[in-house]
Amino acid sequence: MSTLRDLAEEHTHLRPADIDHLHRIAGDWQLLSDLSFADLLLWVPVDADGTFLCVAQVRPTTAPTAYQDDQVGRIVGGPEVAHLEVAYSQGRIWREGDPVWYGDVPARHEAIPVRLRTAEGEAGEVIAVVGRDTNLSTARTPSQLELNYLTTADDLAQMIADGTFPPPRHPGETTSAPRVGDGLVRLDAGGKVTYASPNAQSAYRRLGYASHLVGEDLAALHRRLAGDPLDGTEAANGILAALRGEAPPRREIDARGATMLTRALPLMPAGVPIGALVLVRDITEVRRRDRALITKDATIREIHHRVKNNLQTVAALLRLQARRVAMPEARVALEESVRRVASIALVHETLSMSSDEAVEFDGIVDRVASAATEVAATEVSVGMRRRGSFGVLPAEIATSLVMVLNELLLNAVEHGFPPADEADDEPAPAVAGPDFVPAVVPEADPSARPEVVVSAHRFRKMLHVSVTDNGRGLPPDFDAERGSRLGLQIVRALVTGELRGTIELRAGANGGTEAMLVVPLARNAHEGRSQP
């Protein structure tokens, strides 16, 4: 199904500012739908002959819907949209007419013109119509709650027609809470409570206010209830701002171990401030869980920090041991172990600064690549370059992948670009170190600047990685599957085991060596493993 913007751009001549206003209405109109006990349909004129297109629809959570089928994308005209034409052409709310039938469901039509105010604050032209259609099959004598809901809905409908609803959204705010069913309080122009729903009354009881809210000055009550005077003042100022016709940001009130979220909306039908609507929600349990998660996250970060410190200690001990070992082979093996431990510590260092179990992997790759050029046993200056982005990776993938890349990068630097005296000789197996022993490849360009390129891209929930160098390449008889060296075994075990992926080592198209990895990003993706 096309989006509101797609439908409006394809079928109408509405300006971008008009479409943005329609988006704001669709983002906040669940409130009006619930207060009206009615479906809301957003209609835009398609052409001058009275045809309208439905670009958005919302159903009430407080009453049965009038439409079992989705109406978005439907184009109608003629007598069926006469009420929409009146609201659009005359710029007034249409409430006349007899009930209509949708199958076996009787419904009452209303039409609300939608205006976008000009930059000067004046009411602009009508750009669309909101159809308010109420299912009459469950009609009954309205209660006090329903009467207050309907009265407030009429005020908001008039504000849509005036172009003053919805109010501007504050940065970082969503439209999901509070909702009508969470708790509703209506204030008069003086800030006194004229109605409070049962759920609203219960929310205030959690804060320690046991009396009835009707007749109370809500701003003063918020000052008295809030445990923190600053929070109470901010909550009270939000109420006063709404009474002045402003739209303040949401506020939270903490008292007696309970937390309540409030949202104050001005009521200004026909531009006259008549009071405010305050939506409240008891979020005590939500905040308790948030605090528990914050504590848990802090604990996890501290664990990663300590693991990083321990790994660095292990690396330091191995480095000290390497300096005391007389055998060259043993010293090289210990130095390689130091580098492997350090690469794992790098992941834990990043996780210790993150709020979740995921890391931005590009920075880790850049640091590992830089370290590989610094510690590699070669006299050649090798350039490192990253192409593409790894993005955010979960910790269980990042830890194994950084070890694999560390092995591949060290191999590319040390064996792809040996010192000049070694390059003139036939390739011979290394005593120790990374395992992909290269050989002289005639196709390699000897004048090219030594370089290693790490490339990454995502495709269909798979991470494709390549490590490519323009060095002297692989020996003719190289077989990665039968390689017995430790580094090769580590890479194969991590890629096929921990990462559940595949790896292929091959000669580069223009000389050098290319290692291709394909790693599934979903933990169950090994069932459909792709080949590079």
Side-chain angles (χ1 to χ4, degrees):
M1 177 61 66
S2 299
T3 64
L4 186 159
R5 186 176 299 276
D6 293 336
L7 291 170
E9 290 178 347
E10 180 179 355
H11 296 280
T12 73
H13 298 288
L14 292 173
R15 300 166 300 177
D18 298 334
I19 299 176
D20 289 341
H21 184 62
L22 298 184
H23 266 291
R24 287 193 295 273
I25 290 177
D28 246 333
W29 67 349
Q30 184 69 59
L31 169 64
L32 178 58
S33 177
D34 291 343
L35 290 171
S36 303
F37 306 99
D39 291 75
L40 301 183
L41 285 74
L42 186 56
W43 298 94
V44 294
V46 175
D47 48 43
D49 63 358
T51 302
F52 286 82
L53 165 69
C54 180
V55 295
Q57 176 184 3
V58 64
R59 293 180 171 88
T61 61
T62 52
T65 180
Y67 300 96
Q68 296 301 320
D69 298 326
D70 191 71
Q71 303 296 302
V72 176
R74 183 175 173 225
I75 299 178
V76 294
E80 188 176 355
V81 295
H83 60 300
L84 303 178
E85 180 62 35
V86 171
Y88 183 76
S89 60
Q90 299 182 15
R92 67 177 180 87
I93 297 178
W94 184 94
R95 292 193 175 96
E96 305 86 23
D98 298 325
V100 296
W101 290 81
Y102 295 105
D104 57 353
V105 177
R108 181 178 65 248
H109 272 328
E110 296 180 55
I112 306 166
V114 176
R115 283 187 174 88
L116 173 62
R117 298 187 78 82
T118 64
E120 294 76 22
E122 299 177 355
E125 62 182 10
V126 178
I127 60 174
V129 178
V130 171
R132 183 163 61 165
D133 301 335
T134 307
N135 186 334
L136 299 178
S137 61
T138 58
R140 61 186 183 276
T141 302
S143 64
Q144 184 184 12
L145 179 145
E146 291 170 333
L147 288 174
N148 278 277
Y149 277 21
L150 292 171
T151 300
T152 305
D154 289 343
D155 292 335
L156 294 179
Q158 183 60 54
M159 292 172 66
I160 288 179
D162 299 337
T164 57
F165 184 86
R169 189 176 304 172
H170 295 272
E173 284 191 347
T174 63
T175 59
S176 59
R179 292 192 174 189
V180 170
D182 296 325
L184 178 145
V185 179
R186 179 163 177 140
L187 309 180
D188 61 18
K192 299 292 183 65
V193 177
T194 60
Y195 175 77
S197 70
N199 284 345
Q201 191 73 56
S202 297
Y204 278 92
R205 282 201 180 96
R206 292 290 300 273
L207 295 179
Y209 185 75
S211 302
H212 290 292
L213 287 168
V214 175
E216 283 289 333
D217 184 325
L218 197 64
L221 179 62
H222 283 183
R223 287 195 185 94
R224 297 200 308 269
L225 290 178
D228 186 336
L230 179 59
D231 290 343
T233 300
E234 290 182 349
N237 290 341
I239 300 295
L240 298 176
L243 293 173
R244 293 192 302 267
E246 302 171 12
R250 293 169 173 82
R251 302 290 187 188
E252 291 185 10
I253 302 176
D254 293 297
R256 300 183 62 175
T259 305
M260 184 176 72
L261 177 64
T262 67
R263 182 190 184 193
L265 296 169
L267 294 178
M268 300 177 57
V272 179
I274 63 171
L277 176 68
V278 181
L279 300 173
V280 301
R281 181 184 178 188
D282 182 0
I283 58 170
T284 304
E285 292 303 313
V286 175
R287 288 295 172 261
R288 184 189 62 80
R289 289 194 295 268
D290 287 346
R291 288 190 289 270
L293 287 174
I294 291 173
T295 302
K296 179 181 177 181
D297 289 342
T299 302
I300 292 174
R301 288 197 298 272
E302 178 62 21
I303 291 172
H304 283 300
H305 180 72
R306 295 188 181 187
V307 170
K308 183 262 296 185
N309 289 344
N310 291 338
L311 288 173
Q312 289 179 337
T313 301
V314 171
L317 293 174
L318 291 173
R319 193 176 296 110
L320 288 173
Q321 186 66 40
R323 293 171 182 171
R324 295 174 179 270
V325 172
M327 296 177 61
E329 297 88 344
R331 185 183 306 113
V332 170
L334 288 172
E335 289 173 350
E336 287 181 1
S337 297
V338 169
R339 291 194 292 265
R340 288 163 183 156
V341 172
S343 66
I344 301 175
L346 182 58
V347 175
H348 285 281
E349 179 183 3
T350 306
L351 287 169
S352 69
M353 297 181 290
S354 175
S355 60
D356 53 25
E357 288 293 286
V359 294
E360 284 282 356
F361 201 70
D362 290 346
I364 293 178
V365 173
D366 294 343
R367 293 175 64 178
V368 169
S370 177
T373 60
E374 294 174 1
V375 304
T378 180
E379 300 173 0
V380 181
S381 176
V382 181
M384 285 284 183
R385 183 160 56 93
R386 175 172 54 82
R387 186 168 55 200
S389 175
F390 288 82
V392 177
L393 296 179
E396 61 267 24
I397 293 179
T399 303
S400 300
L401 185 58
V402 73
M403 287 194 65
V404 171
L405 292 177
N406 182 61
E407 298 291 334
L408 295 177
L409 288 169
L410 282 170
N411 174 80
V413 174
E414 291 187 347
H415 296 284
F417 309 98
D421 55 344
E422 292 184 21
D424 294 335
D425 301 331
E426 289 295 322
V431 174
D435 312 280
F436 315 132
V437 183
V440 176
V441 177
E443 291 80 1
D445 183 2
S447 64
R449 176 178 180 271
E451 185 180 52
V452 178
V453 179
V454 182
S455 302
H457 74 277
R458 298 184 180 213
F459 180 68
R460 293 181 179 177
K461 297 184 179 180
M462 306 292 284
L463 178 63
H464 296 253
V465 183
S466 69
V467 178
T468 307
D469 66 68
N470 59 353
R472 59 179 185 174
L474 295 169
D477 58 347
F478 176 76
D479 187 347
E481 294 299 325
R482 290 184 299 195
S484 59
R485 298 185 179 276
L486 177 61
L488 180 57
Q489 292 175 357
I490 290 175
V491 169
R492 279 205 308 262
L494 290 175
V495 172
T496 60
E498 294 296 323
L499 296 176
R500 302 172 182 173
T502 60
I503 183 169
E504 178 185 358
L505 298 172
R506 62 195 183 196
N510 298 314
T513 305
E514 188 174 39
M516 302 294 298
L517 289 84
V518 180
V519 178
L521 295 173
R523 297 310 297 169
N524 60 350
H526 65 285
E527 297 175 359
R529 185 181 300 166
S530 300
Q531 297 296 324

